[in-house]
Amino acid sequence: MKIYAVRILDISEEKVDKLCLLIDSDKKYKIKKFINKKDKIRTLIGEILIRTIIVEKLKIINKNIKFNKNQYGKPYLKDYLNFNFNISHSGEYVLCAVDNKPVGIDVEEVKHIDYEEIAKSFFTVKEFDYIVNQNFNFRLNSFYEIWTLKESYIKCCGQGLSIPLKSFSIEVDQYENIKVISNNKHKEYTSKIFDIDVGYKVAVCSLNKEIYNNIIRVDQNSLINKYSRFNLE
Ligand SMILES: CC(C)(COP(=O)(O)OP(=O)(O)OC[C@H]1O[C@@H](n2cnc3c(N)ncnc32)[C@H](O)[C@@H]1OP(=O)(O)O)[C@@H](O)C(=O)NCCC(=O)NCCS
């Protein structure tokens, strides 16, 4: 598995429009509809990132890249079912995980929210207890760990919130080993937490046994330049 991260920078509206010319019309429409400029940039950069990875890894030319979505909206690359990817964006970050088996990734910007209320409503009793049993200063952090782990599992399965959030439980032991438990059974998924930056949490979930530790940082300007060059070739 490879995990790529881009820290987003501002892009002019003209540049956004120009880069949108090179992507599918439904994504273009989605980007245009956003009112918030950061939403536009995050979605655009996610698209450019995965397209660049595909061009480089699979040697497909950009205009021949065809994405499809499953019934819950999870995108996949048509005709290349061994190529699995998942994108997540939050705050200043866009992340993409690529693997030969289904994968899910979630990044969240840590905000000072009423985590106890949210955990009580959406997490299992075990998950809630795990959070509130932490030293007070670590509770928000633990909440975001559980949140991103749950979300990355749901994204790996690709079924969105049709999987009820309380139907499975994330268990983190004292050695930071992570398990996804459903119906009292340990599911065959591997999960890992990454610290990418202060104020962010990242979790990855895969059907592979191993998730390596490193994240490949990609500079946004270099990415845009590379992507623009592909389209001239
Ligand atoms: C849509 C969903 C997959 C993720 O939403 P999210 O956390 O807001 O968004 P992220 O930035 O992590 O991921 C968005 C990307 O996931 C991908 N995606 C979309 N549907 C997906 C699905 N069913 N499964 C996996 N990935 C999906 C797309 O590439 C999307 O990128 P795009 O918006 O640029 O097209 C879905 O799980 C959801 O709506 N979650 C709600 C979040 C929530 O309430 N979580 C509770 C805490 S556990």
Side-chain angles (χ1 to χ4, degrees), residues 1 99 101-104 156 188-191 204-208 211:
M1 177 192 302
D99 207 349
K101 292 201 175 154
V103 62
C156 184
E188 289 302 302
Y189 289 81
T190 311
S191 300
V204 178
C205 179
S206 166
L207 270 175
N208 266 322
I211 298 176

Side-chain angles (χ1 to χ4, degrees), residues 27 30 72-75 86-89 106 147 151 155:
K27 210 22 128 12
K30 184 174 178 177
Y72 304 97
K74 184 172 182 174
N86 197 229
I87 293 170
S88 184
H89 29 69
D106 190 49
W147 175 325
E151 188 71 26
K155 293 183 78 185

Side-chain angles (χ1 to χ4, degrees), residues 1-117:
M1 177 192 302
K2 290 229 160 78
I3 304 166
Y4 302 83
V6 183
R7 195 182 162 94
I8 61 156
L9 307 165
D10 192 26
I11 312 180
S12 68
E13 290 283 357
E14 292 86 331
K15 186 96 185 169
V16 170
D17 288 345
K18 215 169 153 189
L19 289 163
C20 273
L21 291 173
L22 310 166
I23 60 178
D24 293 345
S25 51
D26 58 340
K27 210 22 128 12
K28 206 182 302 179
Y29 181 66
K30 184 174 178 177
I31 293 168
K32 281 202 193 305
K33 255 187 18 191
F34 282 126
I35 295 164
N36 181 332
K37 180 118 174 273
K38 267 196 175 165
D39 283 328
K40 284 181 193 280
I41 296 173
R42 282 189 288 250
T43 300
L44 177 64
I45 292 301
E47 180 76 8
I48 290 178
L49 178 62
I50 187 59
R51 283 177 174 270
T52 302
I53 294 166
I54 291 169
V55 170
E56 288 192 321
K57 274 191 181 292
L58 302 177
K59 315 284 177 218
I60 308 175
I61 57 171
N62 186 38
K63 66 172 187 332
N64 289 344
I65 294 175
K66 300 267 178 286
F67 293 113
N68 242 343
K69 283 180 182 167
N70 75 5
Q71 66 181 114
Y72 304 97
K74 184 172 182 174
Y76 61 91
L77 183 62
K78 215 177 152 206
D79 303 328
Y80 289 83
L81 296 182
N82 287 332
F83 181 89
N84 291 266
F85 71 91
N86 197 229
I87 293 170
S88 184
H89 29 69
S90 178
E92 307 292 316
Y93 280 94
V94 174
L95 277 95
C96 177
V98 175
D99 207 349
N100 59 356
K101 292 201 175 154
V103 62
I105 188 163
D106 190 49
V107 54
E108 294 294 337
E109 187 180 10
V110 174
K111 295 186 176 148
H112 289 273
I113 50 175
D114 186 353
Y115 61 85
E116 271 198 46
E117 265 314 299

Side-chain angles (χ1 to χ4, degrees), residues 153-216:
Y153 167 71
I154 283 177
K155 293 183 78 185
C156 184
C157 300
Q159 290 159 33
L161 294 175
S162 73
I163 301 179
L165 288 168
K166 290 194 183 196
S167 69
F168 67 97
S169 202
I170 302 290
E171 288 188 18
V172 185
D173 72 14
Q174 55 182 332
Y175 307 107
E176 307 267 301
N177 295 316
I178 300 160
K179 284 184 189 154
V180 181
I181 310 285
S182 179
N183 295 327
N184 291 323
K185 283 200 199 93
H186 175 194
K187 307 245 338 167
E188 289 302 302
Y189 289 81
T190 311
S191 300
K192 202 176 185 106
I193 285 283
F194 290 87
D195 276 316
I196 189 174
D197 201 344
V198 181
Y200 288 87
K201 270 286 158 224
V202 174
V204 178
C205 179
S206 166
L207 270 175
N208 266 322
K209 292 255 173 299
E210 197 101 42
I211 298 176
Y212 297 110
N213 242 332
N214 67 316
I215 293 187
I216 302 162

